[in-house]
Amino acid sequence: MDSIEPKILQPEGAAPLEKADPAIYPPDEAVAAPAEIFEEPLVTTQEEERISIASNWTLVWWRFRKNVLAVVSTVILLFLAIVVLIPDFFATMDPEETNARLAFIPVQRIHWLDEGQLKPWVPSVVGKRDPVTLAMKWTTDETQKTYIRFFGTSWSYSVLGVFDSNIHLVSAAKVDQADDDLAAQIFLLGTDRLGRDQWSRLAFATQISMTIGMISVIVSVVLGLLLGGISGYFGGWIDNIIQRLIELLQSLPTIPIWLALTAALPRTWSPEKVFFAITIILALRGWTTLGREVRGRFLSLREEDFVLAAELGGASQARIIVKHMIPTFTSHIIATSTLAIPVMIVTETSLSFLGLGMRPPAISWGVMLQEAQNIQTLALAPWLLFPGLIVIVAVLAFNLVGDGLRDAADPYSH
Amino acid sequence: MSDGLPPRVPKADAAGKSPLLEVRHLKKYFPIYKGVLRKLVNQVRAVDDVSLFVREGETLGLVGESGCGKTTVSRCILRAIDPTSGEILFREADDKVTNLAALDRSELRRFRPQMQMIFQDPFGSLNPRMTIFEIVSEPLYVNGMRSKTEREDHVAELLRLVGLRTEYMARYPHAFSGGQRQRIGIARALALNPRLVVADEPVSALDVSVQAQVLNLMLDLQQKLNLTYLFVAHDLSVVKHISDRVCVMYVGKLVEMATTEELFQAPRHPYTAALMMAVPRPDPSSRDIIQDLPGEVASPANPPSGCYFHPRCQFATEVCRTQTPELREITPDHFVSCHRAEELHLAGIKVNQETQI
């Protein structure tokens, strides 16, 4: 009386069953014939063709570049990266040169036009001592022009240890009528308490602070990949130990621990030693977040069908990890790491600001901000806060790029 | 043969050659741990004493509700997960029979090319970061075919075999539809010339119109390449269409195994009969009242005593409550695990004569 009518017997078009049957049980000659192309190509236009052969990284880039803020931030970071690589190129003078007579010179405003021509110059500063308070008072003398020279030559420095150069982005063009050394110098961001040029110091501080952020993130990534990978891939008791270690590290209050560790660094250590010690201290906790993430990825990827398919195909464990698992989460790791860099930068800046991170004569953003610790300085020399602005810009840029990368990291989520 | 299926494997052949695959008393228990000390508190009996066999060249359907352990059985057979106990006997081309359950990972690699899998999810089973060429050629590469041109020729041939254009090789999976992806998955499974293909619900994620195409492709390939299928599914109409014989599972146990025709027409286990009742009938004049099974599916973590089906079985007697029935052959090629199999006469589905050509 009843029949199950397999719905699969009727492909689209609802052909009567009698007609559908020969298609399902094809006669022998049909079987022997070469397989027909069943489906029309999905791809028709050139644009679609381009998408269909786009690799994962291409898709990530296409999505990333739609994010205007992230692209702008990338440009800012690239600029900062150049500063990190060759700070001497940007510096106008030796960042450590002190001159008590030139303390607290305010920011010199750049005038781009000189008598209708594009010829940037800064007005010279003239210092006068207040006869009552004996404090130096700086005024600008608009008639005394110090012209700015681009790509002029000055002291020689090494570019990445590969070759030497003596070209600098900006420098003061010596003017004939100069009778004192002030006219031959420019202080684009003013000077600090010891008369050191802030502009030049900022270039070197950028190098130190950004490098600390990056190196500690690289150390974190290595630790996180290694321990998180072991934890997620092997599981069992080793996973248990690593996870409890991560919980322990994450439960420690960070500020006191950092303070204790950095305070324990011997005062006699050279700036280089302190630098590496601080990167390690920052990375010691920094890897935990990443370790968790990598472990989670491994755990979920172990269950993926394409990983099982590779295993059934005879691929070795090493090949599965290298060819299938790691490429799947690389973009996520990059995004997470990018978001971790600003945290490191802010931490280093805070520690140095408190006098527990980098110490003079090393220059970092935090060390520079130490100069701006009291209200008197802030009232009289607000330009000393400028490194704080750079910190904000750098941290924002890293965060925006990181967010953009995170959103673009998985092009298959949509 | 009333449903028009050509008898691909003569039943008498079973005596001549041992089956390609035989599973004996397969068990897979998943432990449940509790507390800090990870004390073993219970076990989920996902697969509980399953025995079945697949003859060379045939299609064995494996059906059951969600969570009855059919996927676990298929993955144990491929040793994607390690069985708790039992034997998985695989006959190689030279008639040598090996127990796969006893092999370690390195020994297994020799058997991998002979048994391949077609996955349910056409999206998760293809690595989105690899091109079609990389996906289909990977098994070839890891099994020693290092020449790229040789692999390209081979992949092109495989793509033609499954009905895809060879120009698609450079594309990534995101450029394909579900049905096309499933064809790619089939091409990958066939790359190593397997003898046994385990298909884990290969069409349940596809549109109905595409289901038919993929099933017909599988039947076509079976004839061309003399493949043996273990076909896991929950859609009875699909199973009926493609299988020579069918196994029915309930809470980790095999309740019935028979030829497709016999199982559908004359089920001997009350659970199989209930499954047949649940098949929707496209007959508007039918006024049959569908009787639901009482109660819930038993938990594999806490199965009932005796026959796992007895709390829901209207024919249950005292012996069903206390003794676990064994799987036994009541008529040739018809295996049932029910104490009352001989006495019961259960209604199956009359296969409609009209479907015959």
Side-chain angles (χ1 to χ4, degrees):
Chain A
M1 89 197 143
D2 295 315
S3 71
I4 52 164
E5 194 173 357
K7 45 182 187 267
I8 46 132
L9 282 179
Q10 284 184 301
E12 29 194 333
L17 272 181
E18 289 77 6
K19 281 185 187 165
D21 265 356
I24 289 155
Y25 309 113
D28 282 344
E29 59 269 25
V31 171
E36 55 184 305
I37 306 299
F38 288 83
E39 282 158 90
E40 277 308 296
L42 274 178
V43 176
T44 46
T45 69
Q46 215 175 354
E47 168 66 12
E48 281 165 344
E49 174 66 30
R50 203 167 65 95
I51 292 170
S52 68
I53 56 165
S55 74
N56 174 51
W57 289 111
T58 319
L59 292 174
V60 168
W61 164 237
W62 285 349
R63 263 179 84 175
F64 181 79
R65 71 180 177 190
K66 279 192 200 162
N67 189 334
V68 179
L69 273 177
V71 173
V72 170
S73 302
T74 311
V75 174
I76 293 174
L77 289 185
L78 285 177
F79 174 73
L80 286 178
I82 298 171
V83 178
V84 168
L85 294 176
I86 37 171
D88 290 84
F89 174 70
F90 294 91
T92 51
M93 59 187 72
D94 184 353
E96 299 189 15
E97 190 185 298
T98 59
N99 189 339
R101 293 200 301 121
L102 302 179
F104 295 124
I105 293 178
V107 174
Q108 286 176 310
R109 200 169 73 82
I110 301 177
H111 299 252
W112 291 97
L113 294 176
D114 182 34
E115 290 155 7
Q117 281 183 314
L118 184 67
K119 201 177 179 191
W121 55 278
V122 291
S124 288
V125 284
V126 180
K128 269 196 190 133
R129 232 171 247 290
D130 187 312
V132 183
T133 60
L134 296 180
M136 221 26 180
K137 281 222 161 158
W138 296 99
T139 49
T140 53
D141 180 0
E142 300 275 337
T143 58
Q144 285 268 39
K145 294 173 182 174
T146 305
Y147 290 100
I148 297 173
R149 190 172 41 155
F150 286 98
F151 303 106
T153 53
S154 182
W155 78 91
S156 177
Y157 57 91
S158 160
V159 180
L160 306 175
V162 181
F163 59 92
D164 287 342
S165 165
N166 56 2
I167 298 168
H168 294 260
L169 179 66
V170 285
S171 53
K174 288 216 168 66
V175 277
D176 299 335
Q177 65 264 46
D179 46 40
D180 61 348
D181 58 347
L182 267 180
Q185 289 178 4
I186 48 170
F187 305 99
L188 295 175
L189 291 176
T191 61
D192 65 3
R193 181 171 51 91
L194 297 174
R196 295 173 294 198
D197 178 42
Q198 279 236 92
W199 170 268
S200 307
R201 285 175 69 73
L202 203 55
F204 286 91
T206 303
Q207 183 182 39
I208 300 274
S209 289
M210 295 268 289
T211 323
I212 286 192
M214 306 244 210
I215 292 187
S216 39
V217 163
I218 289 170
V219 176
S220 302
V221 167
V222 171
L223 278 174
L225 273 178
L226 197 71
L227 292 168
I230 290 173
S231 192
Y233 194 80
F234 293 103
W237 61 271
I238 192 153
D239 175 38
N240 226 334
I241 288 176
I242 293 174
Q243 292 312 306
R244 297 300 85 75
L245 177 69
I246 288 179
E247 273 156 28
L248 183 77
L249 285 173
Q250 289 192 338
S251 65
L252 297 175
T254 51
I255 296 282
I257 291 296
W258 279 325
L259 291 184
L261 285 174
T262 47
L265 299 179
R267 286 268 148 189
T268 50
W269 276 15
S270 65
E272 292 80 27
K273 261 189 175 174
V274 174
F275 174 90
F276 283 109
I278 286 174
T279 57
I280 301 291
I281 288 167
L282 294 181
L284 271 183
R285 190 174 180 279
W287 70 271
T288 54
T289 336
L290 223 110
R292 277 257 156 101
E293 181 145 333
V294 172
R295 170 182 180 264
R297 296 267 158 198
F298 263 107
L299 284 181
S300 62
L301 280 174
R302 263 203 323 201
E303 307 296 318
E304 285 286 345
D305 278 350
F306 66 80
V307 170
L308 176 59
E311 197 184 331
L312 294 180
S316 64
Q317 299 284 318
R319 187 184 163 87
I320 288 172
I321 293 176
V322 173
K323 280 270 172 184
H324 291 273
M325 296 176 121
I326 291 180
T328 308
F329 58 69
T330 314
S331 45
H332 292 269
I333 298 302
I334 293 173
T336 313
S337 318
T338 312
L339 288 172
I341 295 173
V343 179
M344 300 294 189
I345 289 177
V346 167
T347 309
E348 185 276 329
T349 305
S350 319
L351 288 175
S352 304
F353 178 75
L354 296 174
L356 289 154
M358 300 301 292
R359 313 181 188 108
I363 313 165
S364 78
W365 290 334
V367 171
M368 287 186 75
L369 284 170
Q370 265 185 302
E371 297 290 332
Q373 265 179 347
N374 59 66
I375 194 77
Q376 192 192 357
T377 329
L378 288 183
L380 296 175
W383 56 88
L384 292 181
L385 274 176
F386 200 80
L389 190 68
I390 297 294
V391 173
I392 293 170
V393 168
V395 167
L396 265 180
F398 271 116
N399 276 326
L400 290 171
V401 170
D403 276 342
L405 281 177
R406 195 179 50 193
D407 293 342
D410 197 353
Y412 308 109
S413 59
H414 291 265
Chain B
M1 298 302 285
S2 50
D3 66 348
L5 276 168
R8 290 189 204 91
V9 181
K11 283 175 196 167
D13 188 58
K17 258 192 172 181
S18 63
L20 178 68
L21 173 83
E22 186 174 2
V23 174
R24 284 188 191 158
H25 305 292
L26 183 73
K27 288 180 185 171
K28 177 63 193 177
Y29 293 173
F30 291 103
I32 305 172
Y33 296 109
K34 229 178 186 172
V36 188
L37 297 173
R38 319 249 308 144
K39 207 176 88 182
L40 180 69
V41 287
N42 202 350
Q43 304 197 79
V44 174
R45 299 161 182 237
V47 177
D48 198 2
D49 202 3
V50 164
S51 300
L52 54 84
F53 60 89
V54 192
R55 294 184 184 119
E56 189 152 14
E58 76 167 351
T59 300
L60 179 70
L62 186 57
V63 293
E65 292 168 68
S66 303
C68 72
K70 50 192 193 300
T71 296
T72 312
V73 168
S74 66
R75 301 209 167 189
C76 280
I77 288 171
L78 291 165
R79 283 290 306 273
I81 47 179
D82 295 331
T84 309
S85 68
E87 288 180 327
I88 301 160
L89 304 171
F90 184 76
R91 182 169 57 79
E92 286 180 85
D94 57 1
D95 287 347
K96 194 172 147 255
V97 176
T98 316
N99 179 12
L100 299 180
L103 301 181
D104 64 31
R105 293 218 165 256
S106 56
E107 290 170 315
L108 263 176
R109 284 180 78 175
R110 192 168 67 80
F111 289 88
R112 291 286 190 218
Q114 303 184 52
M115 316 163 68
Q116 285 294 309
M117 181 162 182
I118 299 170
F119 292 87
Q120 175 177 14
D121 178 8
F123 293 84
S125 58
L126 305 180
N127 188 341
R129 280 151 182 88
M130 288 174 134
T131 62
I132 302 315
F133 169 73
E134 288 171 318
I135 289 170
V136 178
S137 72
E138 185 178 38
L140 298 170
Y141 180 81
V142 297
N143 284 283
M145 195 189 282
R146 296 290 145 133
S147 144
K148 194 169 181 216
T149 48
E150 203 180 334
R151 270 182 290 144
E152 269 169 357
D153 292 346
H154 211 98
V155 170
E157 194 186 315
L158 285 164
L159 290 183
R160 270 194 295 272
L161 197 64
V162 298
L164 289 171
R165 290 167 193 272
T166 51
E167 309 91 81
Y168 288 175
M169 251 193 261
R171 291 189 185 174
Y172 285 85
H174 61 250
F176 295 93
S177 69
Q180 287 176 315
R181 283 166 182 242
Q182 206 58 310
R183 287 170 194 273
I184 296 163
I186 293 172
R188 171 179 60 192
L190 298 180
L192 295 171
N193 274 325
R195 295 171 68 224
L196 175 69
V197 174
V198 175
D200 185 7
E201 309 221 18
V203 295
S204 59
L206 303 177
D207 288 348
V208 173
S209 61
V210 182
Q211 283 188 354
Q213 293 175 355
V214 172
L215 285 178
N216 290 335
L217 172 71
M218 286 181 68
L219 286 170
D220 191 24
L221 292 169
Q222 183 171 42
Q223 295 201 356
K224 272 188 200 167
L225 307 169
N226 190 29
L227 295 170
T228 307
Y229 288 140
L230 176 62
F231 192 97
V232 180
H234 62 253
D235 187 332
L236 287 175
S237 51
V238 168
V239 166
K240 180 170 167 293
H241 175 52
I242 199 165
S243 307
D244 299 299
R245 294 188 305 122
V246 178
C247 296
V248 182
M249 281 186 73
Y250 179 75
V251 197
K253 280 191 178 292
L254 201 70
V255 297
E256 193 163 2
M257 174 163 72
T259 58
T260 307
E261 192 190 349
E262 202 167 317
L263 189 99
F264 277 76
Q265 283 185 6
R268 305 302 286 266
H269 194 284
Y271 177 67
T272 316
L275 271 188
M276 300 303 154
M277 287 280 285
V279 173
R281 274 138 244 222
D283 179 5
S285 65
S286 167
R287 292 289 175 270
D288 286 358
I289 297 158
I290 291 175
Q291 267 194 317
D292 278 347
L293 278 178
E296 294 288 323
V297 179
S299 159
N302 190 18
S305 62
C307 173
Y308 286 0
F309 188 60
H310 86 256
R312 309 178 73 191
C313 180
Q314 53 176 323
F315 309 105
T317 59
E318 191 50 40
V319 66
C320 301
R321 278 180 265 278
T322 51
Q323 281 181 35
T324 307
E326 293 292 318
L327 189 72
R328 58 212 164 86
E329 191 169 10
I330 52 164
T331 56
D333 235 11
H334 196 143
F335 298 81
V336 189
S337 73
C338 176
H339 292 298
R340 305 186 63 200
E342 283 87 351
E343 332 159 27
L344 299 176
H345 291 281
L346 302 162
I349 299 170
K350 271 195 202 134
V351 179
N352 201 330
Q353 299 296 312
E354 287 164 35
T355 58
Q356 249 186 335
I357 306 164

